[in-house]
Amino acid sequence: MAILVNTNVAALNSQFYLQTVNEQIGRSFERLSSGSRINSARDDTAGLQISNRLNVQILGLNQASRNANDGISIAQIAEGALSEISDNIQQMRVLALQGGNTTLSADDRAALGLEFEELLTTNNEIAASASFGTYNLLDGTAPSSGFQIQSGANSSSTDTVTTGNATLSALFGQLVENEIEAGDADPSLVISTLSAQNLSNLGTLGQVVAAYMVVTAETDLGDALSNVFGTDLAAISGELSNLAAISELQVDVDELVKILNTQLVANGGTGVSEVASAIGTSTFIGIAAGSTTSVGYSSDQLNTLVNFTTDALLEGMSGLITAVDAQRAKLGAEQNGLSSVVRNNSLAVVNVSAARSRIQDTDFALEITALTRNQIIQQVATSFLAQANQQPDVALSLLRF
């Protein structure tokens, strides 16, 4: 074995291994202190990229869940308002039932009409005031395609909340649409030409307009339609099936309530034959157009007309309840769908976080084991470095005589 002084190879080797083990101990301290196995790109280049992509997915899923909860809030606000509107319409139907008695005086009917009108007005106010932030939900100004909700971590993961329109005119429009789908109304009718049509083709809406004509003794169908909708229908384009989407049409509450608060009187007002002829069918109101030529109603005719107007109002209110329930059912389905999305996102966050943890997080048991091993090696390397530094002293012994 050569004895060298200028180059202490043993000391250099000991220094090299001591430096290496010190670096490994430093990394162990960093990993144990931060809790992360990857603290810089040099720790695991591929693992860093993968864990970052997984972290992006986790952040996206968490935000998507918050977005979906906003969508649920929108649906809950709208559905809550519709619930109150439905309760009010049910009370209006009760009032219509009460109005079917011919024993009521004019003052009694006026009182019924006052409450009926207040409920109608309140429903429109509820529809106008239901909002989420600055967006109104039920007055027809909300997007017809609905509010898009980014409910997933990717751009294509979206849902929609459609709140609809709960104003009185829109509910009547939905009633017509429902009856067209059921085959109870003619889908081909053009709104501008309704005054030349038979009201029986309009389903329940036709009955309501006919009832209005009966109680107001209106003999011009065009005027009756314009009064009920608050505008001249001859100037409105579109088909009857689009009634709910035409903002120019707003049911006139003051005119509609006349069906309930007007006291029909025998032997007074316009004759049945004139009104029946104007309505457009001899049997629509239960009395043939040519059954009388005198002005006024007989007792039997009066009872028949009261029955007709009551039934028309009851059918109208029942149809409105159905229209509201259809909106509530859709909102309920959307709430359930978004709730499912939130649950799925939450589960995905758990699973993706677990995947990221296996790549990113420090395994303390493994790291402490490695630290202990390296600390022992550090002590051994330090000891041997001290011994290696003493080896050149052997050369001095050779110089002693």
Side-chain angles (χ1 to χ4, degrees), residues 166-209:
T167 59
L168 182 60
S169 57
L171 292 180
F172 267 110
Q174 292 173 39
L175 165 60
V176 171
E177 290 179 16
N178 293 339
E179 292 187 330
I180 287 176
E181 292 178 0
D184 297 327
D186 189 346
S188 64
L189 295 181
V190 178
I191 293 176
S192 59
T193 62
L194 288 184
S195 60
Q197 300 292 333
N198 192 318
L199 282 179
S200 61
N201 293 331
L202 274 66
T204 300
L205 178 61
Q207 293 182 24
V208 172
V209 174

Side-chain angles (χ1 to χ4, degrees), residues 155-172:
S155 59
S156 59
S157 303
T158 60
D159 286 279
T160 302
V161 176
T162 307
T163 55
N165 190 337
T167 59
L168 182 60
S169 57
L171 292 180
F172 267 110

